[in-house]
Amino acid sequence: MPTYVPQEAKHTIRDLRIRANMSQAGAAKALGISEPTLRKWENDSSSLTFRDMQRIAELYNIPLDYIFFGPNNAFSEK
């Protein structure tokens, strides 16, 4: 399955976790992944699949396009 992660996604994932007041361990457990995998995502050392991005969006209750375009886009709910 092809993967695509915008350059800003790593910051978005980390920022979402911090705003949710979650530790890396807690977020990793909630996402069903290992803590090292989450660290790789946040450090842009590993690519996300579309399903990974869906799980992140569900966990933080955000529109999926937020991961691609950030909070200031025409598609995200305000």
Side-chain angles (χ1 to χ4, degrees):
M1 171 182 272
T3 58
Y4 170 75
V5 181
Q7 187 67 359
E8 296 81 23
K10 64 181 179 178
H11 302 293
T12 302
I13 295 167
R14 183 180 63 234
D15 292 344
L16 287 168
R17 177 180 58 77
I18 291 168
R19 280 187 270 172
N21 200 29
M22 294 182 83
S23 66
Q24 280 187 330
K29 184 175 181 178
L31 290 166
I33 60 170
S34 69
E35 201 172 335
T37 296
L38 181 59
R39 272 195 298 275
K40 288 179 183 177
W41 289 355
E42 289 185 356
N43 294 321
D44 199 28
S45 301
S46 181
S47 296
L48 297 163
T49 66
F50 183 74
R51 180 63 191 129
D52 295 332
M53 288 185 262
Q54 286 178 312
R55 289 191 317 221
I56 292 166
E58 290 169 7
L59 174 63
Y60 298 117
N61 195 30
I62 58 165
L64 185 58
D65 58 24
Y66 183 98
I67 295 172
F68 286 101
F69 304 111
N72 300 320
N73 71 77
F75 304 106
S76 290
E77 296 174 15
K78 304 292 180 196

